[in-house]
Structure formats: structure tokens, C-alpha cells
Amino acid sequence: MSFTPLDIPDVLLVQPKVFGDDRGFFFESFNQAQFDTALGRTVTFVQDNHSRSGKNVLRGLHYQIKQPQGKLVRVVEGEVFDVCVDIRRSSPTFGRWVGEVLSATNKHQLWVPPGFAHGFLVLSESAQFLYKTTDFYSPENERTIIWNDRQLDIRWPIEGEPILSSKDAIASSFQDAELFP
């Protein structure tokens, strides 16, 4: 398994070593010791989530203002464009975003640290998205930043409008969002 820091070094691209032959493939999708070594600290996951979405569905940009969640995200069916936004005011990369294509084919994963807003856009006909979290879901602490915020200027690979939940459609601007210190 390899761990590559992205343009925001706290966000890691995780690439498993895939063993394949005419029978199929095998890969280790998570290894606690390797993950802790890559992060330089121990991370404990407390919840696993699984979602399925259709083409052009955009989920996010979500975060929890209390009980912030680190997430290890991956796609087991289809393809998504996954985005992480640094919303830690004290960070040198505050307000910057990174995006990666995650798919069942490339088997890449992203480590989204606590203190980041996260979202994804489904590029394929459908996608199944799995992720581990470092803290439990807390609806009263969940916040959302609008997907097309002009200040963030995320370059989503979509023509037209995405399919949004009602919550995501009325999300805050980055400027008005409740963020981390």
C-alpha cells in the first residue's frame, strides 16, 4: 500500500497493491499498522458507511463542527470525483481544495482528515461509496457548504446542474459557514 500526500499534504491518496490474475483480484483495503505509520499517529475508526448514488448526484460539502470526522473513502462500484476542502482557519492551506477520481477500477482511496469539508460527484451511471469515520455521525453538528461556492471555485467535472439533496441545495456559502479555528 502506498500513501501519497496531495497538494494539501494532510490529504493522502492511498493506493493498494492489487494482485490479479484470470480468477480476479485481491487487495488489502486497510491495514491499521501501515495507516498509522503513514499518518505518524494512531487513528481509530468507529463507523463504516455505504452509499449508492446515480449519475450526476453530488453529495456535500459536508462536515461536523463538533465531533469532526476523519474519513477513509473509496468506491467499490462506478466512479466519482471526490473533493476535500481545508476549513481549518489556522491551516496554511485554509480554503484550498483537492479533488481525485476514485473508482472501482483504480481502487484508490482518500484520507480526509478531521477539519475538512468533503463531497463527491458521481461520474458513472451509479456508484457505491464506502467510508470509515473516526467519530460518529452527529446530525446536530453537521454543516454543509454549497457545492458551487464562488470563493472555493471547485472545478467539478459536470455540465449543467448536479442532483442535490434538499439539505445540500440550501447549504451555506464558504464565507458564511461555521468553520474550525
Side-chain angles (χ1 to χ4, degrees), residues 4-5 9 14-15 18-19 23-24 26 40 44 52 58 91-92 109 119 138 146 162:
T4 307
V14 182
Q15 296 172 285
V18 180
F19 302 93
R23 299 170 296 152
F26 170 84
T44 302
R52 183 179 188 282
L58 194 151
S91 170
Q109 299 177 65
S138 176
I146 195 74

Side-chain angles (χ1 to χ4, degrees), residues 36-136:
D36 291 350
T37 298
L39 265 63
R41 60 187 166 85
T42 299
V43 171
T44 302
F45 293 106
V46 299
Q47 185 174 320
D48 280 9
N49 299 317
H50 186 150
S51 71
R52 183 179 188 282
S53 305
K55 185 175 181 75
N56 293 331
V57 167
L58 194 151
R59 296 184 183 267
L61 300 159
H62 301 150
Y63 62 100
Q64 291 183 176
I65 197 65
K66 293 181 183 168
Q67 295 177 236
Q69 296 176 308
K71 298 176 182 177
L72 181 61
V73 303
R74 68 187 181 116
V75 172
V76 296
E77 173 194 308
E79 182 176 71
V80 306
F81 182 68
D82 196 86
V83 171
C84 309
V85 179
D86 189 345
I87 59 172
R88 303 167 299 173
R89 291 184 191 277
S90 61
S91 170
T93 56
F94 173 70
R96 288 183 37 202
W97 65 274
V98 290
E100 287 287 324
V101 172
L102 306 179
S103 72
T105 303
N106 70 22
K107 297 171 185 48
H108 293 173
Q109 299 177 65
L110 275 185
W111 163 244
V112 183
F116 281 71
H118 173 256
F120 65 90
L121 170 68
V122 178
L123 303 175
S124 52
E125 286 307 309
S126 66
Q128 290 194 49
F129 191 85
L130 301 175
Y131 59 105
K132 298 176 162 307
T133 65
T134 60
D135 210 332
F136 296 103

Side-chain angles (χ1 to χ4, degrees), residues 156-175:
W156 298 98
I158 188 171
E159 292 182 28
E161 294 294 311
I163 301 166
L164 303 171
S165 70
S166 55
K167 172 183 71 175
D168 291 349
I170 60 166
S172 297
S173 68
F174 181 67
Q175 181 177 328

